[in-house]
Amino acid sequence: MALSALPLGTWCHTLMLSGRPACRDHPYVGCPLKPRLVRPDACVTGTSRAPPRRRRAPPFAEPTAHLHPAPQAPRRIPQDSAPAGRFFAGGITVKEILDAIQSQDAQSADFAALPLPDSYRAITVHKDETEMFAGLDTRDKDPRKSLHLDDVPVPELGPGEALVAVMASSVNYNSVWTSIFEPLSTFGFLERYGKVSELTKRHDLPYHVIGSDLAGVVLRTGPGVNSWKPGDEVVAHCLSVELESSDGHNDTMLDPEQRIWGFETNFGGLAEIALVKSNQLMPKPGHLSWEEAAAPGLVNSTAYRQLVSRNGADMKQGDNVLIWGASGGLGSYATQFALAGGANPICVVSSEQKADICRSMGAEAIIDRSAEGYRFWKDERTQDPKEWKRFGKRIREFTGGEDIDIVFEHPGRETFGASVYVTRKGGTITTCASTSGYMHEYDNRYLWMSLKRIIGSHFANYREAWEANRLISSMTALGRVDAAVVEPVVQRAVPTPMFGSRRASRRRARTGCHLAGAGARRSPPESGT
Ligand SMILES: NC(=O)c1ccc[n+]([C@@H]2O[C@H](COP(=O)([O-])OP(=O)(O)OC[C@H]3O[C@@H](n4cnc5c(N)ncnc54)[C@H](OP(=O)(O)O)[C@@H]3O)[C@@H](O)[C@H]2O)c1
């Protein structure tokens, strides 16, 4: 059943459209604040009476047929069942897992002894629907029609893997791309991954459990996992690598079998249970709620590599950093990194409300691109260098006449010409996306004559993700909560029918609806989205 027909459709609508008309750049995500989910308060009202059934733990060298049973269709959850928050025909309910998590005294052994449910609820897209939007314009492709709430089997656990009870997840842009099957259907990724090994065949299914963030509790670890154990409170970054080739051993992002978990692999985080590789796990920052902990993973790590890491722009003190979308998912972390690292962020946003978010993060140099009316394109094919110049002149007002050392790029086609132009001689444009279009055009004379560099950046390796996570938690581990270098960005916490509960609702009431922006800190502005 499509989400639009479920109460979950409300969730989807809230997250994807954010209650405002779709704009040209963000037809679904509700221009342009980053939607953040979620309260997978896993089935707190679960009422299954079926006797618990212990699932057999797979041995290390399980016969492959056992690891990947014949693909089967997910069981669609009837509309009136979804809000009830229970779902297992046999075996333990997710509620029992949640009870263990919420009891203060459950030890690792208790979690290890918990039987696993046979199945769990998950947000999916279906392989037999990948053509459903054929011929439609991007902005007319409605994720509410393609996303489903399904009951799916718990995948077998392989070597080096972990099953995690998901307490909260988040919605990233890749969930949007997946749900509209653009630029490609993700089932092609799953088919290719399924060909890598007998173990990876599990991922090639007629449904795709999406989601690339989670905060939760380890339930099981597979053979060869020594650093994590059942009961550990964790967050997961979304880099999945095989690392059998030498190529990835300097930088795991260069592994030929590098994938984004929950996008290019199955069993993602928008679910009650997720399957990850153990080298995706990181400690949950102890001072954060589940929702706060689930929000940063993908965007925080991506922004860290793109801006701070030597693999990205290698930012240093004093750098003038132009940050597009500075209150958004990536941009709000980039802004915090720039501020904490002694750089000078020049934040570009499109409303006063978003400017306020940047201010509350501590930024002072803010350009409201809407209010100032930049039009870098005269028409669909022709850029306007006069507008680049006007933009560059405005930037210099914030830099004492200097140009930009690093441009933090992701809007793509619409802004790339301006980004190349305003970068100083020898400066860097670092890009990880093309939200407004991936066919970039810029005047190459401004690049080569001024010895500028364009650096492609994509997610982050484990070390970078770990360092980004450490910036949220390291000081707090010493008891200095106020000294965290980076604070999580939560636009809003949304209980879903899948995980919904009164508790979750109260939490939402208490936290209010956040605009994206760690700047919101302890007193977030009300959402206007
Ligand atoms: N490669 C990777 O590993 C990776 C990782 C994460 C995200 N991404 C990609 O990065 C992009 C941004 O992700 P996000 O999570 O930061 O999204 P987001 O939360 O929606 O923020 C993007 C921001 O960019 C600005 N923006 C969008 N279109 C623009 C345009 N045409 N001109 C100028 N500014 C524009 C908007 O800010 P204002 O309207 O306030 O200016 C918006 O808030 C997406 O395409 C996503 O898929 C890539």
Side-chain angles (χ1 to χ4, degrees), residues 26 32 34 173 177 329-330 350 354 369 410 432-433 435 458-459:
H26 302 83
K34 181 160 186 61
Y173 240 112
W177 299 131
L330 294 170
S350 63
K354 294 180 185 179
R369 66 184 174 100
H410 50 89
C432 76
T435 313
H458 185 42
F459 189 59

Side-chain angles (χ1 to χ4, degrees), residues 24-26 29-36 171-174 177 238 253 260 298-299 302-303 306 324-332 348-351 354 367 369-370 376 408-415 431-436 457-460 491 516:
R24 194 168 67 81
D25 300 324
H26 302 83
V29 290
C31 173
L33 295 172
K34 181 160 186 61
R36 296 274 179 232
V171 173
N172 286 290
Y173 240 112
N174 67 9
W177 299 131
C238 61
M253 282 302 297
I260 298 297
L298 187 148
V299 276
T302 304
Q306 190 178 345
W324 292 104
S327 73
L330 294 170
S332 55
V348 187
V349 293
S350 63
S351 72
K354 294 180 185 179
I367 297 176
R369 66 184 174 100
S370 295
F376 300 129
F408 186 83
E409 246 291 341
H410 50 89
R413 182 171 174 81
E414 191 158 327
T415 56
T431 175
C432 76
S434 295
T435 313
S436 65
S457 191
H458 185 42
F459 189 59
Q491 181 186 345

Side-chain angles (χ1 to χ4, degrees), residues 324-345:
W324 292 104
S327 73
L330 294 170
S332 55
Y333 290 97
T335 300
Q336 292 186 75
F337 293 142
L339 288 165
N344 175 31

Side-chain angles (χ1 to χ4, degrees), residues 265-334:
T265 79
N266 218 320
F267 316 122
L270 281 164
E272 291 169 330
I273 292 176
L275 180 75
V276 296
K277 290 184 187 286
S278 67
N279 60 14
Q280 288 177 241
L281 296 176
M282 306 187 290
K284 171 186 172 284
H287 64 297
L288 299 184
S289 68
W290 293 110
E291 298 94 326
E292 290 164 338
L298 187 148
V299 276
N300 185 33
S301 309
T302 304
Y304 184 84
R305 179 182 176 107
Q306 190 178 345
L307 185 59
V308 180
S309 167
R310 278 190 296 249
N311 291 316
D314 199 10
M315 184 193 78
K316 63 184 187 311
Q317 292 177 351
D319 279 348
N320 295 309
V321 182
L322 181 73
I323 301 172
W324 292 104
S327 73
L330 294 170
S332 55
Y333 290 97

Side-chain angles (χ1 to χ4, degrees), residues 3 84 181 193 202 212 217 290 307 327 340 362 396 420:
L3 284 174
F181 310 109
Y193 191 32
R202 289 167 302 165
S212 300
V217 175
W290 293 110
L307 185 59
S327 73
R396 286 179 177 172
V420 170

Side-chain angles (χ1 to χ4, degrees), residues 29 47 52 60 107 115 153 184 449 485 506 509 511:
V29 290
T47 54
F60 186 89
Q107 303 295 311
L184 296 166
M449 293 295 288
V485 176
R506 279 205 302 276
T511 56

